[in-house]
Amino acid sequence: SDKALIDLMGSVFDGFISSAKLSGLPPICCDGKSRSLAFRAVRAAAQACNGGAGYSILADRINSIISNVAPSLRHRWGHYASVDDGTTSRTANNSVKYSGLKNQGCTCYMNSVLQQLFMMPALRKNLCSAEIPLGVRSSGGGAMAKGEALVGKKISVHWENGNKYDADVVRYDESTGMHTVNYCPVQLATGVGHHHQQQQQQQPSQPPDISSLPRDLPEEYILSEGRPGKETGAFKIISNNNTALVASGDSPQEGHSELKAQESALLELKESPDESSSRKLLEEVQRTFVNLDEARGRCFDPRSLVEASHALKLEFDVWQQNDASEFAMKLLDRLEISLKKWSPCHFRYLAHTFGMKQTKQKVCRECGLKTNREENMMNIDCQIRDKSSIHEALAGMCEDEIMEGDNKVLCDRCKTKTNTVLRTAISALPDMLVLSLKRFDLDYATFETVKLNSRCEFGESLNMKQYTLEAKEILETAAGPEESKSESGSMMDLEENETKDGPDEDPLSVLPDEDYEYRLAGVLVHAGVAQGGHYYSFIQDRTSAKWYRFDDEDVTPFDPSSIEQECFGGKLKKETKFPNGHTHTVESEQFANALMLFYEKVKPVKFDKAGKENEELSAADAPMEEEPKTVAPNLELSNGYDVFLPEVRKSNSTHSWQSFLLTEEFQTFVKEVLDLCTGRKKPSEEDSMDITPTSSPSPVIPGTDIDSWRLAVIRMSLSFVFDVLFHLPLKNTALSDWSKTLMQIFSSSNEITAMFVSDLAKRTHKVYENWVRAYTIECPEEGPRRTALQIFSCAISSLLSLPAEQVLLQNWTQSWSTQVADRERLMNKRQHVGAMPTKLEAPSSRQLEDIGNIGVAATSIGTILSFLSELIEVSPRYTQSNIELCFFIRELSTSQSPTEGKLLRDAMVEAQFVARLTCLAVRERSQDLLKHVFPGSSVSLEIVEAISRTETHSANILQVGMNNSGVSGGGNNHASNLMLLEAIGCLLGMPWVKQEPIFYETGEVNRGRAIRALTPRAIEALTDVFEESKPTSSNGMALRDIHHYLQRCGQHVPPQRVDQIFTRHAVDEPDGTKLLNLKGFLAYYRDAVHNNEFQVVKELHAFGFRPNLTRRHNDSRWYAADENNGQKRPYLLRESMAIDVAMNHASLSRIHFFSELGLQALIFLNFASTNSNCVAEYLLAVSAYGKDTRRLMFESLDYLHNHIGNWVGGSTDGYPLIIMIFGMLSAIPDDRQLERINTLMVNDDREERRVGLMIMGDRIVREYPNNYQARQHADRYLECIQMIQKQRAISTWISRNRQYCTWLEPESHPETAHPLQSRSDQSGRRGGGHQNMPVHLQNHDPNAVDESDIDDEDSRSDDDDSIRDVVVRGCGVPEINGVYTRAGSFDGVPKYSQSVRYNGRDEEFSLFRCRLTDNTRRWYISIVPMSSHPGTTRDIDFYAAVPSPSDAMDLPPRKNWMCIPNSGGIMPAPEVYARTVYEDVDENQGPSNIVVDQDQTGYL
């Protein structure tokens, strides 16, 4: 009953929407409106069928189309739809039926010649029909040795980067035409991977053993086409291990005879290198011509033909521009070589078509002896210098030359030198006459090649009679013997004599004109100069007589009446008429002119395939070249049509269906069908095409079992989305719409979700159909790949709501736990253990990953996770995979449901995802044990570069990768590294480390800069900050409130900047005051995200917000300072983060041995802090909570002891990292906190250099009391203690362990221990190098928040401080006392000065800091000469002081100033106080804001 409706759907598909069966013509529905109507008709017909049969058949039909198109799209991303639209200029003009050739950059010279040859129908058919034995056809040319015949063979694959890689063919899929290949491992050169060892040992090393590395993933693609940026489509079979010469069941006699036959065949197939390259060139010409003949207006890419053209040995590389005439002749010569060997008949046809003979004749003037020497040619080179037409050029070539006097020539008959006539003429004419105009000539004045753009005329017809040898001899005979012996032996003279004797008689009339008449069939044009230009062709269609312009990809009609203007060259006059009647004429040279002319014979000579008409010709050639051999009859042959025509027709069909699938109307159609079948949308009552009967299926999706037709539609939609749609450059709105649709379906139906995830898991065991692989390591488009991964993550999380799947995943997790525990047990017994597998290996556990039992005994989620483990191990070799793998893992780890999320996290943690990711972060710098267990993810970048195959389309693939050294690479690496850290944090149960964006781009642009706006989450967070920061009784912030707010944020903003903020964003209140309200506060931050979004993130972090803009609990942010009055004080940031981890510890994942080893490595923590100090501190806290961290503390202390000298010298590389580790480990509030602090402070293991800070500082002071350098080292240890003593736990420990702190008291190191360095021998204080830190411990985190950022930033300048004045008091030189105001900056800190009367003169005293030549710093009170910088020997120094770690490093020290008596300093030494812009000081009473010890720790 539904047959008519189903036939209607098929008719609309095949006859109206698609052009697959219309022989290349555009479809009937060729515009958007008509396509939409056609799809509505199909949808209505499907809906009207009973029981969903219409939908089932519709889904099957679309699935078959998708399977046809998907292979061509599999390796193409960001692919724009190419729609057969009848409104386009090319398809609208039905006369343009030819295809163009893609220009490879500079290959127009090649395209123009190939298009001329292609437009010769007989030649095209003859070349494509040429047969070549199957045994020698190369697969790169689309050979017949394909399909199953290639399985088991080893091939050498050509890549676009110019290299060749060996690969084994393991499988062939007949439905897609794709082969699966395994690339062979690349052999490493000596020295690769031993860079660090070679620096220590100056001796050659062996190549590293890479046998433990996981093999590359298998690749599946169409061998003859290759992949963009990778394979070119050319390859060569280098071995075939499956071929045997004699079958095992044959008798000895039969086997012997067959062996001899096969050996004979092999001898027949033997080719020389020259013959092999010529044969490959012929194959590529066949492929190109078949594609051009059948491609139906689509452009063809002849890249493989360009590669094969290396055999021509052109003057320049084939990828550069060459002479088109040279290419044409060398191409025909090379084709003759292959045709002569394998297809003699076609060789004779090529010679018959282009072959001509030029005879050079000597005629003795004494005896009349004629001596001829013939030369085979395929074109005539016409010298056009000083020639105005082709006839003049040909006449000049055939002009007689008299050799007399000293130039006489020896006559064979006269046996003496005689006067001789030398003449050149054509003795045999071809069917296709090619004239090459010699426009490129040598300029003898400059000895440079120049192009002759002079005018050279040619007609539509050309008679070659007068230039033939026959014509010359007839004219000579007609002239008579006396005339023939005259001194003037030219053709012109003979013609003049003939005219005198018989003006009415033409001696050449005996030769019929039709045998010598040619008509113009093609013109090849060069536009440009000798050093460069562009080639294109004008060609006549032999069937319709219409002319076309072939310009690479473009083929357009051409009017032959314009040939003179387009091709003759010369000068063009352009007249301009003015209103006053005057005419201005400008003459310009035409740079576009004819280079080659193709004339076709009006009466071609009939070609005899047997070659009888050429017997005489062949006899003459016998001494010169070998006659073509006959091909052995027992060889299996194939021509170009046999090989390429099926592929081309399949490609045409694919292109047609691709145009059908990629239209917006089809996308809308699929979406509507999906919505109708899932109940998300009901049919519109106003739909004029609604023919749904009452018996049609309900559009509402049932809650229990789903109808088969609904599943069919959903499967079809998913296949369309992931195999077709996401390969297009979709907009974010379309991606979001599809994402929401599919996620809603997964959330509403467990059966659909189970079906999809099961299919996703089964695809991980495939290559071409593997969606997880496609969207993690292959797709370069960020939008589609992340949308796809989010959909996968949603489906996996939704599936875990099923109890059965939860049990299966828990069993899988337990199996992994057992597998890892067994390996740890073997390692503890010191038994050899190989690399950690990526799948379950125990026989009892393998059933959990058996794709044949998914949903029964196997877990689909576990199967997917195992494949992700494999991807992590091979990801260093795939540039795209790192960031997207981490994104996918992060999405899986942040499931909305606590139960499902914990199950997924536990499964991935047990499968060692955390350990693998830590190795991926630092690569070869991982712990030796981790490198042994996870060799793939810890492979060095040097080895990766050596074994990887480089892709050439870097513009199409986002090149990102993990930084193997732990140094911030900036740019793209930062985003990739941050994603990895977020993935680890989420795996460990900290979803708050996922960075939430604080702004988005509105799409508007202001002065070339994108306008940003705050996200709703950021506005909400900043609103909370504003409410906390403003006074409780006020509606906003006053000027002083803004200043204190910025100080709390860690910003040291100068007063002028505070005034600017207040002036710009504050508003007048009704009471007359001016306040910064919430609107102005948000406006300030809206401006801030344009300049420095990292600073905004730091400020939110300082107020307790996590990276995802959730806020830490109040109990982790505040503590009770006074329990009586309820006063609370804020925790330091590290303390707050540590408490945050402790409060959430119950929900965190369990950390195992390998994960702990990776997380607590100094190099990994440096990598983490380099990219995000906040995430690094969270990772350290969660990995150290309740754990033994002595290994990390000892490693950090050892690093500190080894590099303390560098830090004394002024370098700070690695210093923030060590402080962060010490601070966070001592802040974690667990049972081991006191143990860690004791280890940090007073551990005493001198042999292993595991000495605590207190012990080491005390030992240095006691053992080296008068050593200046030792004192500096002790000060650095003191500074380390000072940086962490603000934490309550450290402060409490110090107050309880004062016996270790005596070395910190000033009395323990008198001033004699601080000798000031004299400056009398130095020209300046700046200079002196310091040892550079190892590159792997540098910190440049743009988003880091440290305690030093808030309390004593050491990078202030005169624009970055709120201290405006300093007060000097109690000085022995009274003139020095007083208030010093800020006067710029020096050495990165403020400089202060005051003007006074000293010794009867007006002087200016300066208070500044400078660096000495040994890289130490001092503060000075000096008189600096005018026009001189501070810190030189010209300064008059009075007092000096060493910067004290207990004071702010950018402020002068309060006490411990020392007198310099030689320059005028008088005891007592002064004291220096600082005051802020909001606090005043009475010089008589002293300052009111003297810096005191806020932490009440006395001498600290």
Side-chain angles (χ1 to χ4, degrees), residues 611-720:
K612 294 181 180 179
E613 84 282 358
N614 290 331
E615 288 180 356
E616 182 180 351
L617 199 64
S618 300
D621 293 341
M624 300 178 59
E625 57 185 51
E626 186 179 353
E627 185 69 17
K629 297 181 180 179
T630 303
V631 181
N634 58 340
L635 292 179
E636 186 178 359
L637 304 175
S638 65
N639 61 40
Y641 291 114
D642 298 333
V643 175
F644 301 108
L645 194 56
E647 292 183 3
V648 175
R649 288 176 176 171
K650 181 180 179 181
S651 176
N652 288 339
S653 176
T654 299
H655 171 74
S656 175
W657 287 123
Q658 179 177 313
S659 301
F660 166 81
L661 290 178
L662 300 185
T663 60
E664 293 184 5
E665 293 76 25
F666 182 76
Q667 299 173 27
T668 304
F669 167 70
V670 173
K671 189 83 171 0
E672 291 177 348
V673 171
L674 180 63
D675 290 344
L676 287 171
C677 292
T678 56
R680 299 181 70 252
K681 180 181 178 180
K682 296 183 179 180
S684 174
E685 297 180 356
E686 299 178 358
D687 191 349
S688 59
M689 291 191 181
D690 185 8
I691 56 176
T692 307
T694 56
S695 59
S696 296
S698 170
V700 180
I701 190 168
T704 56
D705 294 338
I706 302 179
D707 298 329
S708 60
W709 66 270
R710 298 185 191 273
L711 286 177
V713 170
I714 293 170
R715 286 179 184 272
M716 176 270 294
S717 302
L718 292 171
S719 179
F720 169 71

Side-chain angles (χ1 to χ4, degrees), residues 212-507:
S212 62
L213 295 180
R215 290 203 61 171
D216 288 349
L217 296 175
E219 307 288 349
E220 187 174 5
Y221 61 97
I222 300 175
L223 286 178
S224 61
E225 295 181 3
R227 295 176 291 179
K230 298 180 180 180
E231 300 87 358
T232 63
F235 65 91
K236 179 180 180 182
I237 302 174
I238 57 179
S239 69
N240 183 3
N241 298 326
N242 294 340
T243 302
L245 291 178
V246 182
S248 59
D250 293 340
S251 64
Q253 294 80 5
E254 293 175 350
H256 181 70
S257 60
E258 185 175 348
L259 177 62
K260 293 187 68 175
Q262 292 187 14
E263 288 178 347
S264 175
L266 290 176
L267 290 176
E268 290 288 343
L269 293 177
K270 187 176 182 181
E271 291 180 314
S272 66
D274 197 42
E275 291 173 336
S276 176
S277 61
S278 300
R279 186 252 311 152
K280 292 177 183 177
L281 185 64
L282 174 59
E283 292 179 20
E284 294 304 331
V285 170
Q286 288 180 335
R287 187 222 288 262
T288 302
F289 283 0
V290 171
N291 273 276
L292 290 177
D293 196 21
E294 296 288 336
R296 306 301 180 191
R298 291 188 293 115
C299 176
F300 176 69
D301 186 350
R303 184 181 310 174
S304 54
L305 175 56
V306 179
E307 285 281 356
S309 297
H310 279 101
L312 302 180
K313 297 180 175 58
L314 300 175
E315 181 179 2
F316 304 104
D317 184 78
V318 293
W319 302 99
Q320 301 177 8
Q321 188 168 117
N322 284 273
D323 185 2
S325 180
E326 177 195 10
F327 169 76
M329 296 304 105
K330 288 187 175 181
L331 174 65
L332 295 176
D333 288 342
R334 277 286 178 171
L335 293 178
E336 281 190 336
I337 295 176
S338 186
L339 293 173
K340 184 185 297 184
K341 182 175 180 65
W342 301 118
S343 191
C345 177
H346 297 83
F347 161 74
R348 287 191 292 269
Y349 179 82
L350 187 65
H352 169 81
T353 302
F354 292 99
M356 64 190 324
K357 291 185 180 295
Q358 177 177 284
T359 299
K360 294 188 180 296
Q361 189 180 67
K362 296 190 300 181
V363 181
C364 178
R365 300 294 295 272
E366 302 297 333
C367 67
L369 177 66
K370 296 181 179 179
T371 305
N372 295 338
R373 182 170 63 86
E374 287 187 331
E375 178 183 354
N376 294 324
M377 300 172 58
M378 286 195 173
N379 74 319
I380 298 177
D381 289 332
C382 300
Q383 298 290 343
I384 64 168
R385 183 183 287 272
D386 300 327
K387 303 292 191 297
S388 62
S389 68
I390 284 297
H391 284 288
E392 287 188 19
L394 292 173
M397 179 191 71
C398 297
E399 187 175 5
D400 292 352
E401 182 179 3
I402 306 298
M403 308 300 291
E404 57 187 357
D406 294 338
N407 298 323
K408 291 181 179 180
V409 178
L410 178 65
C411 177
D412 294 335
R413 179 184 294 174
C414 300
K415 305 299 181 181
T416 184
K417 290 185 177 182
T418 61
N419 294 337
T420 305
V421 176
L422 297 183
R423 64 166 59 113
T424 300
I426 306 300
S427 55
L429 288 169
D431 281 350
M432 177 59 65
L433 178 64
V434 182
L435 303 180
S436 298
L437 279 59
K438 304 292 289 183
R439 288 196 175 274
F440 300 111
D441 203 358
L442 181 65
D443 186 345
Y444 290 98
T446 61
F447 289 95
E448 292 181 350
T449 302
V450 296
K451 182 184 176 186
L452 305 177
N453 293 313
S454 57
R455 181 180 177 87
C456 183
E457 300 176 358
F458 53 88
E460 294 185 9
S461 62
L462 175 66
N463 192 299
M464 293 292 293
K465 180 193 301 185
Q466 57 183 321
Y467 311 115
T468 62
L469 184 62
E470 295 173 296
K472 285 219 170 196
E473 291 178 344
I474 291 175
L475 290 175
E476 186 179 24
T477 302
E482 295 299 328
E483 291 294 335
S484 64
K485 292 184 180 181
S486 64
E487 293 185 0
S488 177
S490 69
M491 179 183 293
M492 296 300 180
D493 290 339
L494 292 173
E495 289 177 353
E496 289 177 3
N497 292 333
E498 174 64 23
T499 302
K500 292 177 182 179
D501 296 339
D504 297 330
E505 296 182 7
D506 182 7

Side-chain angles (χ1 to χ4, degrees), residues 1133-1146:
L1133 285 179
R1134 288 197 186 102
E1135 292 179 305
S1136 176
M1137 296 169 68
I1139 297 173
D1140 189 26
V1141 170
M1143 294 177 65
N1144 292 278
H1145 187 260

Side-chain angles (χ1 to χ4, degrees), residues 1055-1082:
Q1056 298 87 343
R1057 176 58 181 157
V1058 177
D1059 292 339
Q1060 290 176 1
I1061 296 173
F1062 191 75
T1063 302
R1064 181 171 183 178
H1065 299 291
V1067 295
D1068 295 326
E1069 293 294 313
D1071 59 359
T1073 60
K1074 195 170 186 178
L1075 296 176
L1076 179 70
N1077 59 16
L1078 176 60
K1079 183 177 180 181
F1081 185 78
L1082 295 177

